[in-house]
Amino acid sequence: MRLHRCEGCLAACRPERATASSRRNITRTNQLKRSRASPYTTSIKRESKMAESTPPPPPENNAPQDPANFVSPYNQEISVTYLYFPAMPWFGMDIGGTLTKLVYFEPRENNRRELDKETEILKNIRRYLTRNSAYGKTGRRDGHLQMDNVTIRGRRGTLHFIRFPTSEVGAFLQLARSKGMAALVNTIYATGGGAYKFEEDFIKEVNMRLSKLDELDALIAGVLFVDAMNPQECYYWAPPLPPHEVDSPPYLEAALSQYVRKPFDFSNPYPFLLVNIGSGVSMLVVNAPNDYYRVSGTSLGGGTFLGLCCLLAGCSSFEEAIALAASGDNTTVDKLVRDIYGGDYERFGLRGDLVASSFGHMCSSERRAKVSREDLARATLVTITNNIGSIARLCASNERLERVVFCGNFLRVNPLSMKLLSYAMSYWSRGALKALFLEHEGYFGAVGCLLRYDLKNHRKENVSRNDTPERQMDR
Ligand SMILES: Nc1ncnc2c1ncn2[C@@H]1O[C@H](COP(=O)(O)OP(=O)(O)OP(=O)(O)O)[C@@H](O)[C@H]1O
Ligand SMILES: CC(C)(CO)[C@@H](O)C(=O)NCCC(=O)O
């Protein structure tokens, strides 16, 4: 069998085809050549002639094994691209400030070696994850986001999207232990602050190592991959009329209900502003897959919305807060331009129905006595959303960007915020900025981790604005 020699195609070159005999054909030159191209390159030592012609077998329990930590049985120094493929199950994990996201790759077909080796444990894990949509009290699988026919490392399969509150990491570890996962998986690719915070717990509780990835690297890798795999991924909300011609106040249902969701072709994406609305908000200027920087952020994010709704409206879940906001009226809570001017502030183009002061009415005890939970939730949502929109717009115009892509779980089941952001981007930029959204909202970091199984996606460079040229060269 001919060995696929194109360096760039190493990932596409189906690893299971690289049999022992084909591996023998890899010359030292090719190995060295590839070692420059592939991040999955390790420096191993060889012991004997026989070893030289027979590359080391894949590690037994090798899912996934970081080449840097690979201890070779050989002792002669040589750089070799390691052609193992990590054993199933494959997971990517993003342990965020509020939610933990787990993406599970279910292979469509097992190869022969796997069928022989597939243990009862592996089958049980697969069944448990794919046949349920709820795990314990708080774990959920987002079945509507499932992606079939995805290829990772030459393997075709299905991506399953699972989330649970980060406060339940302990329960997750117990579950992982009870399902015997620890016996199969010794390392998980993980990102998010929790990958650092809970690292010790993973080792102590289930003897699993977390191979940590930067959350913003993983986020961008995930966005680009999922968008490439799913033609429906990127979309926008189209207003019925240009924003300047809408009669009814933009924040009222009459105007918002007329917005229509439409697909957007994001195949030529650069440059764009990526706004990730999680517990807090990060804003990134993305110029190319490996060229981005974090331009701004705000601590007033999804966590603030939920925290304030719990505090002000007695909510006990995000879904409840969103449902309340959907039927509330923020004008009983916020002070509008017309409450101050009696109409528009024409000179500077501020319409009377714009919010002049968020929660501005709440200094009146009479108004406080009358306000409903729904109105408070709505005002909280509008406040947080408008603030994010405002910062995003400033960043985009400073950076001369036209497209602003919003993601993160704050937008989950939250069309209201998406429409408000669409309106704000377009209205305040006089149509120059376009707000875009992504179907898989908060899962991109976890997908980015899963892509570490894919050679071609390994090691996304993080180029930060603060990097010196020397540091960039060192990477
Ligand atoms: N079921 C849910 N439970 C709690 N929050 C939810 C839920 N669904 C959506 N959210 C919203 O999503 C936000 C978390 O989003 P996301 O998962 O993208 O961020 P994170 O990774 O937890 O946070 P960060 O990236 O800041 O560490 C919450 O603050 C909340 O506004
Ligand atoms: C701290 C992170 C990056 C954790 O995901 C996020 O919550 C965030 O970007 N917060 C906003 C921090 C700020 O820029 O003010």
Side-chain angles (χ1 to χ4, degrees), residues 48-291:
S48 64
K49 271 248 176 215
M50 177 149 151
E52 203 171 327
S53 57
T54 314
E60 274 303 298
N61 186 5
N62 56 1
Q65 181 153 344
D66 193 327
N69 299 319
F70 172 63
V71 182
S72 158
Y74 306 119
N75 61 17
Q76 187 191 335
E77 190 86 19
I78 185 171
S79 191
V80 169
T81 296
Y82 204 58
L83 283 175
Y84 75 85
F85 45 107
M88 301 285 169
W90 292 355
F91 291 109
M93 199 170 197
D94 176 2
I95 312 175
T98 307
L99 291 176
T100 294
K101 285 73 64 179
L102 185 72
V103 179
Y104 165 59
F105 177 81
E106 180 194 16
R108 197 161 70 175
E109 284 142 16
N110 286 40
N111 62 33
R112 234 193 134 132
R113 207 185 94 206
E114 282 168 355
L115 280 177
D116 292 346
K117 284 185 68 181
E118 196 177 43
T119 60
E120 268 315 300
I121 303 175
L122 189 53
K123 279 186 204 151
N124 284 342
I125 290 174
R126 180 200 291 234
R127 262 194 299 253
Y128 178 70
L129 292 179
T130 59
R131 293 196 186 165
N132 293 301
S133 53
Y135 314 93
K137 280 197 187 122
T138 53
R140 294 288 175 273
R141 181 163 62 86
D142 284 313
H144 65 289
L145 295 181
Q146 180 173 320
M147 289 174 75
D148 299 317
N149 285 325
V150 170
T151 304
I152 291 182
R153 208 184 173 99
R155 301 294 301 271
R156 193 169 280 218
T158 299
L159 293 187
H160 299 278
F161 297 88
I162 296 163
R163 63 184 152 85
F164 58 88
T166 298
S167 55
E168 299 294 320
V169 161
F172 167 79
L173 291 176
Q174 274 176 21
L175 189 76
R177 196 211 295 257
S178 74
K179 297 283 166 201
M181 235 162 94
L184 286 182
V185 184
N186 57 22
T187 307
I188 292 192
Y189 287 126
T191 191
Y196 295 81
K197 187 174 165 191
F198 298 109
E199 193 173 15
E200 287 290 300
D201 300 288
F202 273 74
I203 292 174
K204 264 195 225 140
E205 302 291 324
V206 285
N207 198 24
M208 271 186 215
R209 206 171 62 88
L210 295 182
S211 183
K212 301 188 290 299
L213 276 78
D214 176 83
E215 65 173 291
L216 302 181
D217 284 355
L219 171 73
I220 292 176
V223 165
L224 298 176
F225 178 82
V226 174
D227 181 67
M229 291 286 152
N230 177 17
Q232 306 298 319
E233 185 64 29
C234 189
Y235 62 94
Y236 67 103
W237 289 93
L241 289 169
H244 292 90
E245 292 170 33
V246 175
D247 279 341
S248 62
Y251 46 78
L252 288 189
E253 212 43 54
L256 296 175
S257 63
Q258 292 176 48
Y259 276 68
V260 189
R261 184 179 156 154
K262 293 194 172 164
F264 185 85
D265 179 1
F266 199 51
S267 50
N268 192 8
Y270 307 109
F272 65 96
L273 184 75
L274 183 60
V275 180
N276 185 36
I277 318 179
S279 316
V281 187
S282 283
M283 302 191 185
L284 319 172
V285 173
V286 187
N287 293 314
N290 299 331
D291 175 5

